[in-house]
């Protein structure tokens, strides 16, 4: 079909499908980021369905990529079957993405409750490199540049602090801008002051909110794609009827 209106619709469908692909990549990267961060710090969370949420987010990303590729193909073909399949996938994407957003919202409002074991993990700190619990605490403090649960003074009440003589914080609390820091309590300005619970919460909340905001973009793109492909389907039917009448 060579009429300008149809060509314009196909071009718009092609470009919008490419946008769907880009959004799919963004959602996938966000899902992988959330999976990595949650996996690294899972012991600081109570048992939750966060893993399920991540899987739904990644699944929605895969569907977005497939739908974007199919949309690009549909823009090059005059197949009613492909167009019908494309509309079906748009509905599936809407359902899965809505589920992912609902789960993300649920975790964003219950995150403080899910992080209830945080204080217990710090309390069980031993400072030993052979203790997986201690390694997790040190790794998080170094990565997030934080110290303690609420702030660095939380260490003053831990069993490890009292057993170690009550003279220093863990080396992982040392601010990297002070190379000579040895964790001594007499030089608190060389220690990270912000608490780790708040910093980790920011990381997880960022990923959850990214997924929720991406849903709005997905819905807008989907509406545009749905309108365009429905119009193409009408045009194809109309052209076929005209051919049949001539014959």
């Amino acid at each position: 079909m060579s009429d300008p209106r149809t060509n314009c619709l196909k071009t718009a469908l092609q470009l919008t499908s490419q946008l769907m692909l880009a959004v799919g990549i963004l959602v996938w990267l966000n899902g992988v980021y959330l999976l990595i961060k949650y996996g690294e710090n899972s012991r600081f969370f109570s048992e939750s369905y966060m893993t399920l949420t991540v899987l739904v987010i990644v699944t929605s990303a895969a569907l977005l990529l497939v739908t974007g590729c199919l949309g690009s193909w549909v823009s090059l073909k005059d197949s009613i079957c492909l167009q019908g399949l494309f509309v079906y996938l748009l509905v599936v994407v809407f359902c899965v993405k809505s589920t992912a957003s609902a789960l993300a919202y649920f975790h964003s409002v219950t995150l403080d409750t899910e992080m209830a074991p945080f204080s217990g993990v710090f309390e069980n700190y031993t400072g030993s490199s052979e203790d997986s619990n201690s390694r997790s605490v040190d790794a998080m403090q170094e990565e997030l540049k934080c110290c303690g649960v609420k702030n660095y003074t939380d260490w003053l009440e831990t069993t490890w602090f009292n057993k170690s003589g009550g003279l220093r914080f863990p080396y992982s609390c040392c601010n990297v801008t002070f190379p000579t820091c040895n964790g001594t309590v007499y030089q608190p300005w060389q220690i990270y002051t912000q608490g780790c619970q708040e910093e980790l919460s920011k990381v997880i909340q960022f990923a959850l909110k990214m997924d929720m905001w991406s849903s709005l973009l997905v819905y807008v793109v989907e509406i545009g794609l749905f309108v365009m492909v429905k119009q193409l389907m009408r045009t194809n039917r109309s052209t076929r009827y005209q051919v049949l009448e001539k014959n």
Side-chain angles (χ1 to χ4, degrees), residues 2-234:
S2 57
D3 62 284
R5 187 166 181 272
T6 300
N7 289 337
C8 184
L9 272 174
K10 288 184 174 182
T11 301
L13 180 60
Q14 176 74 242
L15 294 175
T16 311
S17 296
Q18 295 297 322
L19 178 58
M20 177 76 88
L21 277 171
V23 175
I25 293 173
L26 175 65
V27 173
W28 181 79
L29 289 174
N30 185 60
V32 171
Y33 174 78
L34 180 58
L35 179 62
I36 292 174
K37 292 304 177 183
Y38 177 72
E40 290 176 345
N41 302 286
S42 58
R43 68 176 64 248
F44 298 101
F45 295 87
S46 58
E47 291 296 327
S48 68
Y49 297 101
M50 183 72 79
T51 304
L52 173 62
T53 301
V54 174
L55 291 176
V56 175
I57 291 174
V58 173
T59 300
S60 69
L63 287 171
L64 285 168
L65 294 173
V66 172
T67 305
C69 291
L70 182 60
S72 297
W73 193 17
V74 167
S75 68
L76 303 174
K77 302 287 184 179
D78 293 324
S79 171
I80 292 180
C81 291
L82 282 178
Q83 291 167 353
L85 176 61
F86 183 63
V87 171
Y88 173 76
L89 276 178
L90 287 176
V91 175
V92 173
V93 167
F94 176 83
C95 294
V96 176
K97 196 70 182 74
S98 297
T99 302
S101 295
L103 289 171
Y105 175 76
F106 170 78
H107 285 294
S108 70
V109 298
T110 61
L111 194 58
D112 288 341
T113 303
E114 294 179 13
M115 297 176 75
F118 219 93
S119 298
V121 176
F122 274 76
E123 179 59 36
N124 293 328
Y125 181 85
T126 63
S128 172
S129 59
E130 298 179 358
D131 177 26
S132 60
N133 183 84
S134 299
R135 289 199 305 270
S136 296
V137 172
D138 286 331
M140 180 180 61
Q141 291 191 146
E142 290 174 356
E143 179 183 355
L144 299 181
K145 294 180 172 52
C146 57
C147 185
V149 180
K150 301 298 182 183
N151 56 60
Y152 73 100
T153 61
D154 293 328
W155 282 108
L156 303 178
E157 301 175 3
T158 60
T159 303
W160 170 84
F161 183 80
N162 294 321
K163 286 185 177 180
S164 62
L167 296 176
R168 68 178 184 87
F169 301 103
Y171 291 119
S172 55
C173 280
C174 285
N175 191 318
V176 293
T177 59
F178 296 99
T180 59
C181 174
N182 60 7
T184 176
V185 296
Y186 301 112
Q187 295 176 323
W189 59 87
Q190 296 184 352
I191 302 296
Y192 292 122
T193 57
Q194 59 269 34
C196 293
Q197 183 169 346
E198 181 180 355
E199 294 302 311
L200 181 58
S201 178
K202 288 178 181 178
V203 170
I204 302 299
Q205 287 283 13
F206 170 78
L208 293 174
K209 289 179 179 178
M210 273 289 291
D211 183 73
M212 289 186 282
W213 281 109
S214 69
S215 295
L216 297 178
L217 180 57
V218 169
Y219 298 151
V220 172
V221 173
E222 277 203 298
I223 291 172
L225 288 171
F226 183 79
V227 170
M228 284 182 279
V229 76
K230 291 295 286 185
Q231 187 60 45
L232 280 175
M233 292 173 75
R234 290 194 192 97

